[in-house]
Amino acid sequence: AAAELEMHLEAELRGRQTSYVDCGLPTLMANGLFPLSALTIISGLSSMGKTSLSLQVALGVAIKLKENDMMGCVSIHELESTVKAWRLTKRMASMLSGVAWSKIEGGRPTNYENTRYREAIEFIKTLPIYINDSDNQTSAQVITTSNALHMQSGPLWLSVSDYLELFKDQWGNAEGKQT
């Protein structure tokens, strides 16, 4: 056990996380909110910032993977039919650039802000983030996609599914009736 602990400590000194997923948000990390191989559910009322928090965490994990030259990726499964991958990327670019979402949505950023925003988009393109915005996803498809990403890119460090209640899973009895 001591030898295994030493291996974990050495790996962490080299920038590899062995006990939690580092999302770059110190307050969340201090409370150990994203342990490896665990399920974390963020819930709350409508328009309270759940998607924004999830995107910040996903972005932070992807940046840490890039910074530490680590194999692996982050996946985001957006189930709301009106939200597409480009809109999520738009929100992440707003977060990274520091340009207010309202200015981006309203089309009123200054030239300087627009430059920062476009640089953020270019940076996001280099990050190991996979976004599936199909509105007909099932939980089985997410598992299959996650396994494929793991085989292609290395460990899937974080998987975000926004609006779990919109999965198109069919649970039924032998007659095909939903139960």
Side-chain angles (χ1 to χ4, degrees):
E4 187 177 352
L5 174 59
E6 285 179 332
M7 287 187 339
H8 282 278
L9 292 174
E10 287 299 319
E12 286 184 354
L13 285 173
R14 291 189 305 274
R16 182 161 186 258
Q17 298 304 322
T18 62
S19 57
Y20 63 91
V21 178
D22 188 353
C23 67
L25 299 170
T27 302
L28 297 181
M29 295 300 86
N31 291 294
L33 292 181
F34 300 103
L36 289 176
S37 302
L39 173 66
T40 301
I41 296 177
I42 299 170
S43 65
L45 298 173
S46 181
S47 299
M48 295 303 290
K50 300 175 298 295
T51 300
S52 289
L53 176 60
S54 297
L55 290 176
Q56 287 175 5
V57 169
L59 193 55
V61 171
I63 290 170
K64 288 294 185 181
L65 291 173
K66 182 180 172 80
E67 279 179 358
N68 293 310
D69 197 29
M70 293 172 62
M71 295 292 296
C73 65
V74 169
S75 69
I76 301 171
H77 302 275
E78 177 56 59
L79 300 164
E80 188 177 13
S81 62
T82 60
V83 178
K84 295 299 175 195
W86 68 269
R87 292 189 59 79
L88 295 176
T89 304
K90 189 176 184 180
R91 288 179 75 173
M92 289 187 287
S94 172
M95 292 171 190
L96 272 179
S97 66
V99 179
W101 174 249
S102 59
K103 282 191 167 186
I104 300 299
E105 277 291 280
R108 297 182 314 274
T110 65
N111 287 340
Y112 176 69
E113 290 169 331
N114 193 46
T115 299
R116 284 193 351 241
Y117 178 69
R118 290 186 179 275
E119 288 171 352
I121 293 170
E122 290 304 313
F123 180 70
I124 290 170
K125 288 181 188 178
T126 70
L127 296 176
I129 298 176
Y130 167 82
I131 301 174
N132 182 349
D133 61 3
S134 168
D135 57 354
N136 289 314
Q137 297 178 63
T138 65
S139 56
Q141 288 170 329
V142 170
I143 291 168
T144 300
T145 301
S146 297
N147 288 334
L149 287 170
H150 179 81
M151 296 301 290
Q152 291 170 355
S153 306
L156 180 59
W157 288 89
L158 179 73
S159 182
V160 173
S161 294
D162 200 9
Y163 286 94
L164 291 174
E165 66 273 15
L166 297 180
F167 273 125
K168 301 295 183 189
D169 292 338
Q170 294 296 317
W171 302 101
N173 57 23
E175 289 82 35
K177 295 178 184 172
Q178 225 173 4
T179 54

